[in-house]
Each structure stands twice: as C-alpha cells, then as structure tokens.
Amino acid sequence: MATLWFILVAFMLAVYVVLDGFDLGAGIIHTLAAKTNEERRQILKAIGPVWDGNEVWLIAAGGALYFAFPLLYASSFSGFYLPLMMVLWLLMLRAMGIELRSHVDHPMWRSFYDFMFSAASLLLAIFYGAAIGNVVRGVPLNADGYFFEALWTTFTITDRPGILDWYTVLTGVVALVTLTTHGAHFIATKTDGDVNLRARRIAGVGSVALIAATALSLVATLYVRPQMLDNYRMHPWGAVFPIIVVASLGAMQYFRARQRDFAAFLSSTGYILGMLCGAAFGLYPYLLPARADDTHSLTIYNTATGGYGMAVGLAWWVVGIILAAGYFTYLYRAFRGKVTLEEGQGY
C-alpha cells in the first residue's frame, strides 16, 4: 500500500508539472512571443480558462502527501520553510499579474503586471527545479527525521548543503528550459499569426537547449547520487523511462520542423513525464534521502501512515480522481482550438 501511494503522489505531481508547466512557460515567454497589448492578451486567453484549475493538482498532491506520508510532510515543510514561503509569494504574484493587468487602461499599469507575471513564472520554474534537485541530492536529516537548510552556503555539495548549490541551480536551469519549451509549444498550438511564429522559434531554440541540458543533468545526477542507478540495475524494465525521454526529444525536433504544433506539445509532455517518472523510479523507496547518514533517510516505510487509513483513503482518492478527470476532460474539450480576442472580454 505504501508503494501504491508513492506512485499516486508521484502521478499527481507529474500531472501538475505537465498542466501548470505550460502555464508557467507561457508566462516566461509572455514578453518575448508577444510584442503588443493585443498579442499579450492572446497569450493570456490561451491559458485563461485553465491556469488556476491546473494548480488544483499541486494542492491535491500536497494533501495526499500529508495523508499518506505525514512525517515526510512535516519534515519537508519545516526544513524547506523559507523557499516554500517564497514559492507561495511567487504563486500569488503570478496570479496578480494575470488578473490585475486589465483593471486600469494604462500602458504603465499593464507593463508592470506583465513583468510581474513573467518574472514570477520564471522564478517558479527555477525554484521547482531546485526543489527536485534537493530531493535527488539529499538533505541534512538528523535522527529525528528533521533538518534545516540555509538558502545557500558555499554552493558546494557537503554533508550540510544549502538549498542552492551548483547542482540544484543546474536542476533549476533544466526546469526553466523544460517549461519554457513546453509553454512555447502550447502557445504555438493555441495561437496563430506572429505570436505563433515567435512561439515556434522559442520552442525550436528551447528544444535544442533541452538536449544539452538533459545530458548535463544526467552526468551531474550520477555524480551527486550514483545510487539512482540501483533500481535500474535490479529492474531493467525501468529503461523505458530514459527511452521515453530520448524519443520525446527527437519527436519534438521532428514535429516542430513539420509545424505540427500539437504533436510537438505532446512530445514535450512525454519528455516531462519520462524525466519525472525516471527520477521517481531511481529514488524509490526513498522519499527524502539524507546526505550524511543514510539511516536517517525518509522512505515510504518509515514515514507512511497506517495501512487501514491508506486503504480507506484509496477509496476516496478513486472517487476524487474520477471527478477531477471528468472535469478536466470537459474543460479542455470546451476550450480546444485556437484562441481569438473576439471570443470575449478580459485580460
């Protein structure tokens, strides 16, 4: 049951990264792909019906984490208190940038909130990537299962590292390139005209940069945590995840060259899922490794709640996921196709 909940939490986090990832990517390229107010409204209308709904997956994943692995929830939320507060502020600033830009009809007002939207989206992508880097690298857990990390120390990897070091900055950059490319593919799918052409160019540069970033992050990860290969050695079927990553990188190039925007977007989706599932597979059964003493690591076994509670929670999770899947299916079908400014007001 603990393994099942590990998979379910990883699944919800992966869905969040895919769905809210293209929202973040749209924000990152907001002032690059769109040069006029009308073009920026076009980008905002592309994500307008879905961006706040996509964040539900983050809340759901946090709730499932609290329910299934309460010690991990308590340890990580206390140890990562400062960056979590920064992420919450960035989420609020991003929402303000979207919702408030059209409240006053003045270029300075709109420019201020456009900058807020783009900057918050960019920093969120980096912080999310750095968070994954911290999990893979490990944190200075003590015997009680708790830890504290400064925002940065020497930027080197020691037994008591900071939240930011050369490795977590690298994973932050990988996340930034990934979500920028993902968002550019989505905007290219949803728009036409000059915005579509600029989004395609950004996606082209991003997909090439992603190849180099992926290779560099792989080498760095194996250097920082060579144990990530253990599960791949014991269970060769895990090779499916790196195969998906490589195939998705190739498919992005193929479909982008043929101007098949939606297929390129699905390819970037496959890349994200392959990377996240591959990381989860390599970490299992660890949830939060310890840097200095592996016996202090948090795993699915020493952090899980009781078996009865997990079984009852699973029944309610199935009901909830069916409702969520139905809602999101309807939502994306209702707003499929290219966006036009004549469809309504706002933004």
Side-chain angles (χ1 to χ4, degrees):
M1 190 62 73
T3 297
L4 177 59
W5 274 103
F6 175 88
I7 295 171
L8 295 181
V9 171
F11 164 76
M12 287 186 285
L13 287 173
V15 172
Y16 169 72
V17 174
V18 168
L19 295 183
D20 205 36
F22 68 70
D23 296 335
L24 292 171
I28 294 168
I29 70 169
H30 184 56
T31 56
L32 300 175
K35 301 301 183 181
T36 67
N37 180 51
E38 296 303 303
E39 289 178 346
R40 289 174 184 175
R41 286 181 60 213
Q42 195 175 1
I43 288 181
L44 288 170
K45 287 206 69 174
I47 65 171
V50 299
W51 72 268
D52 50 353
N54 291 339
E55 292 182 346
V56 169
W57 289 96
L58 179 62
I59 299 171
L65 194 66
Y66 172 75
F67 159 76
F69 305 106
L71 179 57
L72 172 67
Y73 182 91
S75 175
S76 58
F77 273 60
S78 62
F80 293 130
Y81 183 81
L82 176 58
L84 281 172
M85 291 301 104
M86 297 171 73
V87 164
L88 287 176
W89 273 103
L90 290 172
L91 287 170
M92 290 188 288
L93 291 174
R94 183 178 69 133
M96 291 169 61
I98 295 173
E99 298 292 349
L100 299 182
R101 77 178 302 272
S102 62
H103 282 209
V104 176
D105 187 17
H106 192 282
M108 183 175 292
W109 178 278
R110 288 193 297 267
S111 296
F112 173 76
Y113 282 105
D114 285 340
F115 171 78
M116 182 183 294
F117 174 44
S118 293
S121 298
L122 185 149
L123 290 173
L124 276 170
I126 294 174
F127 267 76
Y128 285 153
I132 295 174
N134 272 267
V135 173
V136 172
R137 180 206 62 198
V139 297
L141 285 159
N142 60 29
D144 296 326
Y146 290 92
F147 68 98
F148 170 78
E149 279 188 307
L151 189 58
W152 67 78
T153 53
T154 62
F155 279 90
T156 59
I157 299 176
T158 65
D159 288 344
R160 299 195 63 82
I163 292 167
L164 298 178
D165 56 34
W166 67 264
Y167 177 71
T168 58
V169 170
L170 173 61
T171 56
V173 171
V174 173
L176 174 62
V177 176
T178 299
L179 298 187
T180 300
T181 306
H182 190 51
H185 280 135
F186 180 78
I187 295 303
T189 301
K190 295 292 290 183
T191 61
D192 49 22
D194 290 339
V195 175
N196 172 276
L197 294 176
R198 294 190 196 107
R200 284 179 179 174
R201 285 197 292 269
I202 294 171
V205 174
S207 59
V208 172
L210 203 53
I211 296 174
T214 303
L216 185 59
S217 67
L218 174 61
V219 173
T221 297
L222 296 182
Y223 171 77
V224 170
R225 188 168 178 78
Q227 299 92 328
M228 290 286 287
L229 287 179
D230 291 347
N231 284 336
Y232 287 94
R233 294 191 184 99
M234 290 187 294
H235 308 287
W237 64 265
V240 68
F241 301 121
I243 290 173
I244 290 173
V245 170
V246 173
S248 298
L249 287 170
M252 270 188 267
Q253 301 290 339
Y254 177 84
F255 291 123
R256 184 189 56 78
R258 285 155 181 76
Q259 299 183 1
R260 295 175 60 181
D261 297 324
F262 183 64
F265 171 71
L266 292 180
S267 299
S268 67
T269 298
Y271 170 83
I272 292 172
L273 292 176
M275 288 287 281
L276 292 176
C277 292
F281 181 81
L283 281 170
Y284 178 86
Y286 291 94
L287 295 169
L288 192 60
R291 275 302 302 170
D293 189 344
D294 192 59
T295 61
H296 296 164
S297 296
L298 300 181
T299 70
I300 64 170
Y301 305 114
N302 61 15
T303 62
T305 191
Y308 175 77
M310 283 189 166
V312 173
L314 180 62
W316 285 105
W317 185 89
V318 171
V319 173
I321 205 67
I322 290 173
L323 293 174
Y327 169 76
F328 277 90
T329 299
Y330 167 77
L331 180 65
Y332 280 92
R333 283 183 60 85
F335 293 100
R336 66 186 181 275
K338 302 282 187 178
V339 298
T340 60
L341 295 179
E342 290 74 25
E343 292 176 356
Q345 302 298 319
Y347 304 112

